[in-house]
Every structure is written in C-alpha cells, then in structure tokens.
Amino acid sequence: MDFNLGEEHRLLQEQVRRFAVNELAPQAPRLDETGDYPRETVSKLAEQGMLGVLVPEEYGGAEMDFTSLTILVEEVSRACASHGVILAVHNSLVTYPLLLYGTEEQKKKYLPQLCSGKRIGAFALTEPDAGSDAAGVKTIATKDGDHWVLNGSKIFITNGEAAGLFLVTAKTDPSKGHSGITAFLVERETPGFEIGRHENLMGMRGTGNVPLSFQDARVPAENVLGQVNQGFPLIMSLLDSSRIDIAAQALGIAQASLDAAVAYSKQRVQFGKPIWRHEMVQDMLARMAVQVDAARLLVYRASWLKDSGAERCTKEASIAKLFASEAAVEVSRLAVQILGGYGYSRDYPVERYYREAKVTEIYEGTSQIQKIVIARQLTR
Ligand code: CAA
C-alpha cells in the first residue's frame, strides 16, 4: 500500500497549485464581493485542459483519470472555491455523462465545444419543489414529432449564467415515477428556454448560479441523453462520481482554512508569546489537522476506487462527501475562532471559507441524503 501520489499525479498537483495560487486565488475576494462569473479565467482553465479532464484526446480532451480530476478540484478550491465547483459541474455532470451515455453524433458535436470552453456545461436537476427528492421533478417533456417540448422550472443551477449546454431532467411519463424521467441536452439558444437572474448566495458567489424556465421549449429528439425514461438511474450514477468532486472541494477549503490558521497562529502574539504556544490553540490546530488528513484519505480512496474500474463507488463517494463537507465546516469555523476578531472581518479570507464550506453539506445531496445512501448500501 502506498499513500503517496505517483509521479504524474504529483507533477499535475504542482502545476495546478502554481496556476491556482497565481491566477485564481487573487480573484476570489472580488468574485465573492461582486458575484461576477469569472469568464476570463474559465477560458484559461480551458487552455490548461481543465475543461475536458476525462475526455479522450480525439474529442479535444486531456484524457486524464479521476484521481487527476480530484487533485484539480482540491487545488483549485483551495485557492478559489467558486472556480472549484465551476470545474466540478462542467467536468463530472456534463462532459462525463456525454462520454458515458452520448451517441457518437452527440459526442462529436458537443465534446470539443465543452473541452475548448466554447460551451460551458450546467446540470439542471433541482427544482423549487424537488431538492432532496430528486425523482419529484415536475418539469415535463411531451413528445411532438421529432421534438420534445419542455415546460417547467429549475433553480440553483451552477454555471447557468454562462453555460452553453444544459443537462436537464424532465418527466416523460409522470405515471411511472423513477422510471418516467429522461435526461436532455438543451442548448442555450433553444427558443422557449430562459435563464433567470443571478441568485444572491451566502458563498460560492462567483458561480453564475441562476434559475431556469422552460415554456414550450422545443428540444430535438436526438438530444435525449441515454434512453427515454432511463434518466433517473443515469443521474444517480453520475452523482456517485461527482460527489467525490464536492468532497475534494470541501477538502481544498479545509486545507486553506488550516493553512491560514497555522500562519496566523505563528505571527500573532498574545500574553507575550505566539498564540500557537497556547495549549487551547494547539488543541484546535491539532483537531483541524486530523480532520483534513482523514478527509484526504477518504476522498482519494473514493477516486482511486473509481479509477480501479469498480462497478460502483456509491458508498465510498457518499462517505467521502459526508465526512469532508462536515470537516470543512468545522475546520473553517475553528480557523475563524483562531483568528478571533480578524477572522470575523472581511479583510481576512477565513470568514469566506466558512461561508463557502457550508454549501458542501448541502449541494449534490445534503449530509442527511448521504447518510440515507450509506445506510442503504450497507443493508443491500
Ligand atoms: N446508481 C445507479 N442507480 C441508482 C443509484 C445509483 N447510485 N441510486 C439509485 N438508483 C436506482 C435504483 O436502483 C432504483 O432503480 P429501480 O427502480 O430499478 O430499483 C431507482 O434508481 C430509484 O432509487 P431509489 O429508490 O434509491 O430512489 P429515491 O427516490 O429513494 O432517491 C436519493 C434516492 C438518494 C434520495 C436521491 O433522490 C438523491 O440522491 N437525492 C439528492 C439529490 C441530489 O443529490 N441533488 C443534487 C443536485 S445537483 C447539484 O447540487 C449540483 C451543484 O449545484 C453543485
């Protein structure tokens, strides 16, 4: 057993870390302040091959593995969490499903555009009345000749503001519950498809998060992804791997919080000595380090499993996401505590880490949903 990254992964980590520190970290406070979508740096991510991580070279991708994607999301999120989730959704919830379930025509048409950043990908599952209950979607698609006509709405769609291609779930046979849902590839230009106003979020504010509406939006029948009425298991299996990304993102935020707390504790002097010499601060630093280390082991175990070709990684992905997201909230909370009044000030990044960490316990399945998934896997 070897807990070190191999040579290729280590070089990738160094390269991404350098890029993230130089190009992404300086932008994070501005994105948080303005809520702007970082179009320019997303183009730079494309130049680095980061928008087609899993895609074979023949379609314009970088043809890397899941561990590479995990490294990328961790390092990018450590510098700027908004960029982390932009990458995660684009790679795991749009390009990867196209690769897995797309027809050759769909792959040839969309993958090069996604890898080059010509079209950013967005994933549209959540609705005003269907969050944890993913099968409860009310958006409906009705067949009309060689098109499907979509009506309904979606909310909290990451990347939506800038995306050119949306993976949308809709009911195609409402009488059949889980077995009546289909996944569609919807282009931004589709008549009847509207992108709403930017959501005013607590954190992850530079992610172009918007609601969507469909009013008689006509989608060509060839844009069904996978089989009609087979969309629910397709989406669930995608979430298995994309939850590893969110766990990696939480790990990146937790690591950034620990880094900030350690640096501050060495230079802040109280009662005549640097605060790290006070035992209660040592207690907090040690607890934070344990959480970060344990999260890292679970996150990389899950991506290793995915790379090993295992049929499913449902349980391991949910365990990693549950643990890493709760660790990120706790570690960033303790970082605020160690920085005290400065930690609560916007002049330091840790209050942002705390706000950003919180959503990792919510999106791509709340902690409560992860527990349901884990318990069901244990008792199968
Ligand atoms: N892989 C393959 N198939 C699966 C599966 C998986 N991981 N999980 C379930 N299925 C299949 C089941 O086998 C079952 O098939 P059969 O009917 O043939 O037996 C079918 O799907 C129904 O499964 P369940 O009975 O388990 O379904 P459920 O209604 O109880 O829901 C749930 C399960 C886990 C609670 C699910 O609804 C869920 O994950 N909810 C959370 C939603 C979520 O994660 N949303 C994320 C939004 S995207 C986002 O957040 C992106 C972003 O902004 C960053």
Side-chain angles (χ1 to χ4, degrees):
M1 192 181 288
D2 185 354
F3 289 102
N4 294 311
L5 292 176
E7 184 63 2
E8 261 185 46
H9 287 136
R10 207 181 46 71
L11 288 174
L12 176 73
Q13 187 186 49
E14 273 173 23
Q15 179 204 327
V16 178
R17 188 172 295 168
R18 212 174 312 117
F19 174 80
V21 167
N22 293 332
E23 302 274 347
L24 308 180
Q27 292 206 50
R30 181 183 60 79
L31 298 185
D32 184 51
E33 195 67 37
T34 62
D36 289 346
Y37 188 85
R39 289 172 197 266
E40 273 180 30
T41 35
V42 171
S43 302
K44 287 189 184 170
L45 295 177
E47 285 162 19
Q48 305 270 325
M50 295 189 199
L51 297 189
V53 179
L54 303 168
V55 178
E57 285 176 5
E58 60 171 308
Y59 299 111
E63 203 165 340
M64 292 191 272
D65 59 7
F66 286 95
T67 303
S68 303
L69 181 56
T70 303
I71 291 170
L72 219 138
V73 175
E74 180 194 343
E75 293 300 328
V76 167
S77 302
R78 185 173 171 184
C80 175
S82 284
H83 280 90
V85 75
I86 288 170
L87 270 181
V89 167
H90 175 92
N91 277 292
S92 286
L93 288 172
V94 184
T95 59
Y96 182 54
L98 249 162
L99 200 58
L100 279 187
Y101 304 105
T103 61
E104 198 46 42
E105 288 70 31
Q106 289 170 342
K107 289 187 207 177
K108 281 195 179 128
K109 181 171 180 190
Y110 293 121
L111 285 176
Q113 298 182 6
L114 288 162
C115 296
S116 69
K118 192 169 171 213
R119 282 186 196 269
I120 301 299
F123 178 74
L125 169 64
T126 304
E127 297 188 359
D129 294 322
S132 291
D133 181 7
V137 292
K138 292 198 175 80
T139 296
I140 189 148
T142 321
K143 191 84 191 283
D144 181 20
D146 56 1
H147 280 73
W148 288 87
V149 182
L150 269 64
N151 280 287
S153 60
K154 300 282 176 183
I155 48 166
F156 302 133
I157 307 306
T158 300
N159 281 343
E161 183 183 324
L165 190 67
F166 295 73
L167 179 51
V168 177
T169 51
K171 283 251 160 81
T172 33
D173 188 343
S175 68
K176 285 195 182 150
H178 298 99
S179 310
I181 294 173
T182 301
F184 295 92
L185 296 165
V186 179
E187 295 186 1
R188 185 183 185 90
E189 307 79 26
T190 306
F193 172 39
E194 277 195 18
I195 294 165
R197 284 187 50 191
H198 200 274
E199 303 280 2
N200 193 8
L201 302 177
M202 170 177 165
M204 303 286 180
R205 291 170 51 77
T207 56
N209 196 297
V210 291
L212 309 175
S213 84
F214 302 89
Q215 283 179 340
D216 292 332
R218 294 178 68 80
V219 177
E222 70 253 24
N223 277 27
V224 166
L225 184 69
Q227 303 298 312
V228 172
N229 291 335
Q230 292 297 312
F232 192 78
L234 180 152
I235 295 294
M236 286 297 117
S237 67
L238 288 180
L239 286 167
D240 285 351
S241 45
S242 68
R243 283 172 181 156
I244 305 173
D245 292 347
I246 301 304
Q249 164 165 71
L251 172 60
I253 298 170
Q255 182 68 62
S257 304
L258 177 60
D259 296 343
V262 168
Y264 182 85
S265 73
K266 291 203 284 192
Q267 52 100 31
R268 173 74 168 167
V269 175
Q270 290 291 279
F271 303 104
K273 53 186 177 185
I275 61 169
W276 77 266
R277 290 195 178 274
H278 296 293
E279 283 183 8
M280 276 194 258
V281 174
Q282 291 177 0
D283 170 81
M284 287 190 274
L285 290 174
R287 276 160 52 203
M288 292 159 81
V290 170
Q291 296 271 309
V292 170
D293 245 27
R296 180 163 287 112
L297 291 172
L298 289 173
V299 169
Y300 282 91
R301 192 242 335 226
S303 56
W304 166 81
L305 190 64
K306 189 80 192 150
D307 278 328
S308 75
E311 205 182 311
R312 273 175 85 155
C313 61
T314 308
K315 176 165 65 77
E316 291 75 10
S318 282
I319 287 176
K321 190 203 178 258
L322 175 65
F323 187 88
S325 59
E326 293 190 346
V329 172
E330 178 63 0
V331 172
S332 57
R333 186 183 73 77
L334 289 173
V336 172
Q337 192 66 22
I338 289 174
L339 270 75
Y342 295 111
Y344 200 63
S345 155
R346 294 215 167 181
D347 291 341
Y348 286 77
V350 290
E351 61 80 32
R352 172 165 52 81
Y353 299 155
Y354 191 24
R355 286 185 283 112
E356 290 173 335
K358 182 60 205 167
V359 78
T360 65
E361 291 182 323
I362 297 170
Y363 56 28
E364 302 213 10
T366 60
S367 292
Q368 291 69 26
I369 290 296
Q370 306 312 320
K371 288 176 193 168
I372 291 173
V373 172
I374 295 162
R376 284 184 183 174
Q377 289 298 310
L378 289 173
T379 53
R380 254 150 62 94

